[in-house]
Amino acid sequence: MRFALLAAALLTFPVTGVLAQDEPIETAEEGVSPALAQLRHVVGAWDVTTTFYRPDGTPGRAFPGTYTFAWVMPDKIVQGTSTIPEFGMSSGILFYLRDASKEIEMVSVGPDGQLWTMTGPQDSETRETPVVDMPDGSTLKLRFTRFNVTADRFESKMDRSTDGGETWVQGNHQVFVRKGERGNA
Protein backbone atom coordinates (compact mmCIF):
# COMPACT_ATOMS: atom_id res chain seq x y z
CA MET A 1 0.00 0.00 0.00
CA ARG A 2 2.93 2.38 0.65
CA PHE A 3 3.92 2.36 -3.05
CA ALA A 4 0.30 3.01 -4.02
CA LEU A 5 0.27 6.04 -1.73
CA LEU A 6 3.58 7.26 -3.10
CA ALA A 7 2.32 6.90 -6.65
CA ALA A 8 -0.86 8.65 -5.63
CA ALA A 9 1.15 11.57 -4.29
CA LEU A 10 2.50 12.06 -7.78
CA LEU A 11 -0.87 12.35 -9.48
CA THR A 12 -2.22 15.79 -8.93
CA PHE A 13 -3.09 18.97 -10.85
CA PRO A 14 -6.51 20.20 -11.79
CA VAL A 15 -5.94 23.96 -11.57
CA THR A 16 -8.19 26.99 -11.35
CA GLY A 17 -8.47 29.56 -8.63
CA VAL A 18 -7.68 33.06 -7.47
CA LEU A 19 -4.61 35.06 -6.63
CA ALA A 20 -3.91 35.99 -3.04
CA GLN A 21 -5.38 39.43 -3.78
CA ASP A 22 -8.58 37.76 -5.05
CA GLU A 23 -7.72 38.54 -8.66
CA PRO A 24 -8.54 35.69 -11.05
CA ILE A 25 -5.61 33.63 -12.27
CA GLU A 26 -5.24 34.14 -16.01
CA THR A 27 -7.45 31.17 -16.90
CA ALA A 28 -10.28 33.13 -18.51
CA GLU A 29 -8.20 34.01 -21.57
CA GLU A 30 -10.43 34.16 -24.65
CA GLY A 31 -10.53 30.80 -26.41
CA VAL A 32 -8.30 29.04 -23.84
CA SER A 33 -9.78 25.98 -22.17
CA PRO A 34 -9.46 25.60 -18.41
CA ALA A 35 -7.26 22.53 -19.07
CA LEU A 36 -4.79 24.55 -21.17
CA ALA A 37 -4.71 27.21 -18.46
CA GLN A 38 -3.94 24.42 -15.99
CA LEU A 39 -1.00 23.20 -18.06
CA ARG A 40 0.34 26.73 -18.45
CA HIS A 41 0.07 27.24 -14.68
CA VAL A 42 2.06 24.15 -13.62
CA VAL A 43 5.07 24.74 -15.87
CA GLY A 44 8.01 25.57 -13.61
CA ALA A 45 9.52 24.25 -10.41
CA TRP A 46 7.68 23.60 -7.14
CA ASP A 47 8.61 22.74 -3.56
CA VAL A 48 6.03 20.22 -2.39
CA THR A 49 5.21 18.93 1.07
CA THR A 50 3.20 15.69 1.05
CA THR A 51 1.45 14.52 4.20
CA PHE A 52 0.24 10.92 4.03
CA TYR A 53 -2.84 9.94 6.00
CA ARG A 54 -3.19 6.82 8.15
CA PRO A 55 -6.02 4.33 7.51
CA ASP A 56 -7.94 5.87 10.46
CA GLY A 57 -7.98 9.24 8.68
CA THR A 58 -5.44 11.03 10.84
CA PRO A 59 -2.49 12.82 9.24
CA GLY A 60 0.84 11.04 9.37
CA ARG A 61 4.29 12.33 8.63
CA ALA A 62 5.03 15.06 6.06
CA PHE A 63 7.73 14.56 3.41
CA PRO A 64 9.39 17.42 1.47
CA GLY A 65 10.04 17.04 -2.23
CA THR A 66 10.05 18.83 -5.57
CA TYR A 67 8.09 18.75 -8.80
CA THR A 68 9.35 20.29 -12.05
CA PHE A 69 7.36 20.70 -15.26
CA ALA A 70 8.36 21.80 -18.78
CA TRP A 71 6.72 21.89 -22.19
CA VAL A 72 7.29 19.02 -24.61
CA MET A 73 4.88 20.59 -27.13
CA PRO A 74 3.75 24.10 -26.13
CA ASP A 75 0.06 24.25 -25.21
CA LYS A 76 -0.34 20.47 -25.71
CA ILE A 77 2.05 18.28 -23.66
CA VAL A 78 3.91 18.88 -20.39
CA GLN A 79 6.56 16.54 -18.95
CA GLY A 80 7.43 16.45 -15.29
CA THR A 81 9.49 14.85 -12.57
CA SER A 82 8.57 14.34 -8.95
CA THR A 83 11.28 13.68 -6.38
CA ILE A 84 10.95 12.76 -2.71
CA PRO A 85 14.55 12.57 -1.46
CA GLU A 86 13.73 10.78 1.80
CA PHE A 87 12.32 7.87 -0.24
CA GLY A 88 15.26 8.00 -2.66
CA MET A 89 12.84 8.06 -5.57
CA SER A 90 11.77 10.00 -8.60
CA SER A 91 8.79 9.53 -10.87
CA GLY A 92 8.09 10.66 -14.41
CA ILE A 93 4.89 12.49 -15.28
CA LEU A 94 3.25 13.42 -18.57
CA PHE A 95 0.20 15.73 -18.94
CA TYR A 96 -1.63 16.12 -22.22
CA LEU A 97 -4.85 17.56 -23.59
CA ARG A 98 -7.39 15.29 -25.23
CA ASP A 99 -9.23 17.92 -27.27
CA ALA A 100 -11.68 15.53 -28.95
CA SER A 101 -13.07 14.33 -25.61
CA LYS A 102 -12.52 17.69 -23.82
CA GLU A 103 -10.37 15.99 -21.17
CA ILE A 104 -6.97 16.43 -19.63
CA GLU A 105 -5.02 13.29 -18.86
CA MET A 106 -1.93 12.58 -16.84
CA VAL A 107 0.21 9.48 -16.58
CA SER A 108 2.86 8.77 -13.97
CA VAL A 109 5.39 5.98 -13.55
CA GLY A 110 7.55 5.55 -10.48
CA PRO A 111 10.42 3.22 -9.64
CA ASP A 112 8.01 0.31 -9.10
CA GLY A 113 6.95 0.50 -12.77
CA GLN A 114 3.26 0.94 -11.91
CA LEU A 115 1.52 3.12 -14.53
CA TRP A 116 -1.10 5.46 -13.11
CA THR A 117 -3.53 7.28 -15.41
CA MET A 118 -5.70 10.12 -14.17
CA THR A 119 -8.39 11.67 -16.35
CA GLY A 120 -10.93 14.41 -15.89
CA PRO A 121 -13.01 16.92 -17.80
CA GLN A 122 -11.17 20.07 -18.88
CA ASP A 123 -13.26 22.24 -16.57
CA SER A 124 -13.16 20.05 -13.44
CA GLU A 125 -11.16 20.37 -10.24
CA THR A 126 -11.27 16.59 -9.76
CA ARG A 127 -9.50 13.77 -11.62
CA GLU A 128 -9.84 10.02 -11.11
CA THR A 129 -7.94 6.90 -12.00
CA PRO A 130 -9.71 3.80 -13.20
CA VAL A 131 -9.89 0.88 -10.77
CA VAL A 132 -6.36 -0.59 -10.69
CA ASP A 133 -5.51 -4.18 -9.76
CA MET A 134 -2.72 -4.07 -7.19
CA PRO A 135 0.04 -6.73 -6.83
CA ASP A 136 -1.47 -7.98 -3.55
CA GLY A 137 -4.79 -8.79 -5.27
CA SER A 138 -6.66 -5.74 -3.96
CA THR A 139 -8.05 -2.96 -6.14
CA LEU A 140 -7.45 0.76 -5.81
CA LYS A 141 -9.13 3.81 -7.32
CA LEU A 142 -7.73 7.29 -6.66
CA ARG A 143 -9.44 10.69 -6.77
CA PHE A 144 -7.59 14.02 -6.73
CA THR A 145 -9.03 17.41 -5.92
CA ARG A 146 -7.15 20.68 -6.09
CA PHE A 147 -8.03 23.75 -4.03
CA ASN A 148 -6.75 27.01 -2.52
CA VAL A 149 -5.06 27.81 -5.82
CA THR A 150 -3.07 31.01 -6.27
CA ALA A 151 -0.49 31.96 -8.88
CA ASP A 152 2.39 30.55 -6.82
CA ARG A 153 0.78 28.09 -4.38
CA PHE A 154 -1.92 25.44 -4.31
CA GLU A 155 -3.10 22.45 -2.32
CA SER A 156 -4.24 19.02 -3.40
CA LYS A 157 -5.81 16.08 -1.68
CA MET A 158 -5.91 12.48 -2.79
CA ASP A 159 -8.70 10.17 -1.73
CA ARG A 160 -8.53 6.40 -2.21
CA SER A 161 -11.20 3.77 -2.63
CA THR A 162 -10.90 0.00 -2.40
CA ASP A 163 -14.51 -0.60 -3.46
CA GLY A 164 -14.55 0.96 -6.94
CA GLY A 165 -15.45 4.44 -5.75
CA GLU A 166 -18.38 3.64 -3.47
CA THR A 167 -16.53 4.96 -0.40
CA TRP A 168 -13.44 7.15 -0.09
CA VAL A 169 -10.73 7.73 2.55
CA GLN A 170 -8.23 10.60 2.41
CA GLY A 171 -4.80 9.32 1.38
CA ASN A 172 -2.68 12.47 1.28
CA HIS A 173 -2.56 16.24 1.33
CA GLN A 174 -0.01 18.22 -0.68
CA VAL A 175 1.07 21.86 -0.56
CA PHE A 176 2.84 23.17 -3.68
CA VAL A 177 4.86 26.41 -3.50
CA ARG A 178 6.41 27.77 -6.67
CA LYS A 179 10.20 28.16 -6.78
CA GLY A 180 11.39 31.33 -8.52
CA GLU A 181 9.60 32.88 -11.47
CA ARG A 182 6.40 31.58 -13.03
CA GLY A 183 7.17 29.32 -15.98
CA ASN A 184 3.93 29.60 -17.93
CA ALA A 185 4.67 32.52 -20.22
Side-chain angles (χ1 to χ4, degrees), residues 85-181:
E86 195 158 335
F87 294 147
M89 64 162 278
S90 291
S91 296
I93 302 166
L94 189 68
F95 281 104
Y96 48 94
L97 299 179
R98 294 172 58 190
D99 294 326
S101 61
K102 303 238 185 279
E103 293 175 306
I104 186 171
E105 191 159 78
M106 185 188 115
V107 294
S108 174
V109 178
D112 63 356
Q114 175 72 49
L115 175 68
W116 292 92
T117 303
M118 178 179 63
T119 306
Q122 288 184 357
D123 61 353
S124 177
E125 290 295 321
T126 301
R127 304 274 189 304
E128 292 186 6
T129 68
V131 174
V132 175
D133 294 324
M134 301 305 295
D136 67 2
S138 66
T139 62
L140 187 61
K141 181 175 178 72
L142 305 176
R143 176 177 66 191
F144 302 85
T145 305
R146 193 158 145 150
F147 57 98
N148 292 336
V149 179
T150 67
D152 296 319
R153 184 186 181 282
F154 64 91
E155 296 177 54
S156 173
K157 74 172 188 160
M158 181 274 293
D159 299 308
R160 63 182 186 273
S161 175
T162 57
D163 60 10
E166 294 294 318
T167 60
W168 298 92
V169 175
Q170 187 165 353
N172 77 29
H173 175 257
Q174 294 182 295
V175 177
F176 289 71
V177 177
R178 188 180 300 279
K179 297 166 101 173
E181 296 294 314

